[in-house]
Amino acid sequence: MADDSDLLLEVNDLKMYFPIQKGLLRRTTGYVKAVDGVSLSIKKGETLGLVGESGCGKTTTGRCIVRVYQPTEGEIVFHDEGEAVNLNLLARQELKAFRRNMQMIFQDPFSSLNPRMTVLELVGEPLLAHGIARGQELEDRVAEMVNAVGLKVEHLPRYPHSFSGGQRQRIGIARALVQRPRLVVCDEPVSALDVSVQSQVVNLLQDLQSELDLTYLFVAHDMSVVRQVSNRIAVMYVGKLVEVAESEELLRNPKHPYSETLLSAVPRPNPHHAMQRLSLEGEPADPANAPPGCVFHPRCRYMEDICQTEVPELTELTPGRHVACHFADQLQLQGIDYSASMES
Amino acid sequence: MAHDSLLEIKNLMTYFHLHEGIVRAVDGVSFEVRRGQTLGIIGESGCGKSVTAHSILRLVPSPPGNIVNGEILLHRGENGNEDGFVDLAQLDPRGADIRAIRGAEISMVFQEPMTSFGPMHTIGNQIIESILLHQEGVDGSEARELAIENLRRVGIPRAEQIVDAYPHQLSGGMRQRAMIAMALSCSPRLLIADEPTTALDVTIQAQILELMTALQEEYGMAVIFITHNLGVIAEVADEVAVMYLGRIVEQAGVNELFDNPQHPYTQGLLNSIPHIDEAKLARLRAIEGVVPDPYDIPSGCAFSDRCPSFMPGKCDSAMPDLAATGPEHRVRCFLYSEAEEIVTEVADG
């Protein structure tokens, strides 16, 4: 792993349990363990992709990091100019002020913008809220940001309904970036968009990252998109990270059986692609009632006795690659074969 | 016309008459679905792919929607027998004829399995209803047996218990399997699948695609598979139609389309998506601009304002025809206008 000076964010043993309440007295009868012991770190300027299927806790992880949720347990440390800030220890006011360092881009550009606010108000609101700018200065900064995301100054007095999905997502991006955050949690930022618009927004996010020196946590379910933007990829399954690796390395040479199946399930836009799909039986486990041992064992093709009883720890297999599997060093898993495509 | 044709659509136009103006959601679409084959329709939102599908089953809400022109011929005759066909476009959308066809000869699988089942009835009752409606001489307990049999066939475990479950009790993947079981309960000859895997996770999507391919072989039915996902279409389709703003812009066999995409829009789509099994590009090659507003479609070729090969004076003055550029390949673009044969209007009957 990188030495500390490169780190922007460290998450240690993050847990987010949502209580299940039943009956008249709303007694807590159990917990949905949406995030169950996630540790990760993000370096300055990099993009960490967080992939997994619906319900695996990837969105909750992102929301805990920007403190939309108060996590049940765990430590979130933000490295700010050589100073380590533990977000759990901040008081309300301090946290509010600190929030400008961490912003979020949401999935649905239709429900995440207030329909009664103009683009100027939407993008300017964070500047007002943090007391960063007002009046003419605010308008100038908003106009600059709006230009940077590919919209025009004429758009400022308009309301969200007069924009297409892709343009709305640009407004959402401008709103998140106008206060110059250091870390941006992108929660499925392109999955609600049309195919031809997705690539525009992916390119925009990459351009803005280098222009504004941003660090991304890119949460998504589409492996092809995640690979396009990420330096490293973390694969999540039912509340836990199962593998973290440099992204090309993960694709070429997955070490966790779940990563292997996830890669083989990606539909390839190539009718000649020989089908070697590993069928994954069954469905993801219920995070309220996770199986004992390795959470993936009921669906795993390589399952042994130990997997049913002992939880594998996320351990460093080779430098930079962490895997949570009892047999990570023994299994020969199938990644994506680049031998054919590299010549073209 | 080829004798193995099951469904022929000729110059279909479905318009929506709204306050803001007329939306030409489907504007002159012609294609043919052969028995046992899968036709993939691909396009972005607003391209008219779903309205085409809804027009076939006459599910377009009217008002505001109307089929203003065209024929939708469902061939019923056996091989070579030209007599037995019905023009679905002429049927009363609320009449007995189309209701006898829906769910029996042609059935549909929708994108959202949660909203397409009624929430108040069990899965079993909804499948049984469809069986009792369309199959004569089947009584209630036989229909229940058939429903369980169908649920089992789509890979639902404990089918004899699940048959009494309500839709909300099932996961998304299981609900979509149940949806398919219901669609197949009367052995349709044509299944229309409208984004059937879009709401599902990739591993579940893979399961459903495999299931649909296997069932298609088993039942020998034809499928119209609608999606915006190029990866899914490459996997399931025999032939592909690419739609843009109400028109087919390119149509070809699946291998031909992916090996030799000709329309700038098709090329743009294929170039713009990240390919996981190819070397990573520093930047994606995005298509410029956005899909135009349906009230404000550019004159001439609808793609002209976004097209990298735009030819001023030509592309913005007239709509190119869908012309053959190869034995199994048709393209709507002036770049290929020297192609000899014009097949926009299928003249022979």
Side-chain angles (χ1 to χ4, degrees), chain A residues 135-162:
Chain A
Q136 189 57 44
E137 194 199 344
L138 180 131
E139 274 187 47
D140 291 345
R141 289 189 65 160
V142 169
E144 184 195 345
M145 196 66 232
V146 160
N147 279 325
V149 298
L151 296 173
K152 301 195 184 83
V153 182
E154 301 95 272
H155 291 140
L156 287 178
R158 297 207 202 150
Y159 290 90
H161 70 85
S162 58

Side-chain angles (χ1 to χ4, degrees), chain A residues 52-55 58 164 166-167 193-200 202-204 206-207 221-231 247-248 251 258 261-273 275 277-284 299 336-338 341-342 344, chain B residues 43-46 49 170-175 177 198-207 209-210 228-235 237 244 254-256 258-259 265 268-291 306:
Chain A
E53 298 182 90
S54 51
K58 55 190 193 299
S164 69
Q167 287 172 313
L193 305 176
D194 266 326
V195 185
S196 72
V197 180
Q198 278 194 6
S199 45
Q200 295 172 359
V202 166
N203 282 343
L204 174 69
Q206 287 187 309
D207 293 345
H221 70 278
D222 184 337
M223 203 54 139
S224 324
V225 173
V226 170
R227 178 248 193 164
Q228 177 63 31
V229 297
S230 304
N231 304 98
S247 63
E248 295 303 301
L251 262 63
Y258 180 62
T261 1
L262 207 54
L263 287 171
S264 86
V266 176
R268 315 283 166 82
N270 173 9
H272 308 295
H273 176 67
M275 291 278 294
R277 177 169 292 158
L278 311 165
S279 65
L280 184 55
E281 296 294 318
E283 305 199 345
R299 302 175 82 190
I336 288 178
D337 182 8
Y338 289 102
S341 69
M342 283 309 173
S344 61
Chain B
E44 300 179 273
S45 53
K49 53 192 195 301
L170 302 184
S171 66
M174 280 300 151
R175 232 180 269 136
R177 281 173 193 267
T198 306
L200 306 174
D201 279 317
V202 275
T203 61
I204 309 294
Q205 168 171 281
Q207 291 172 3
L209 292 180
E210 254 161 49
H228 66 274
N229 188 321
L230 288 156
V232 170
I233 215 86
E235 192 166 307
Y244 188 74
V254 67
N255 290 340
E256 170 73 6
F258 280 87
D259 293 344
Y265 178 62
L269 278 184
L270 277 167
N271 282 332
S272 71
I273 55 171
H275 292 256
I276 198 165
D277 45 9
E278 287 173 17
K280 180 163 148 181
L281 301 167
R283 270 175 75 86
L284 296 175
R285 290 165 294 194
I287 303 179
E288 295 293 312
V290 293
V291 180
R306 303 175 74 188

Side-chain angles (χ1 to χ4, degrees), chain A residues 268-306:
Chain A
R268 315 283 166 82
N270 173 9
H272 308 295
H273 176 67
M275 291 278 294
Q276 310 154 311
R277 177 169 292 158
L278 311 165
S279 65
L280 184 55
E281 296 294 318
E283 305 199 345
D286 178 1
N289 187 17
C294 171
V295 278
F296 188 59
H297 87 254
R299 302 175 82 190
C300 184
R301 346 189 293 135
Y302 311 101
M303 198 259 294
E304 305 266 347
D305 287 347
I306 183 176

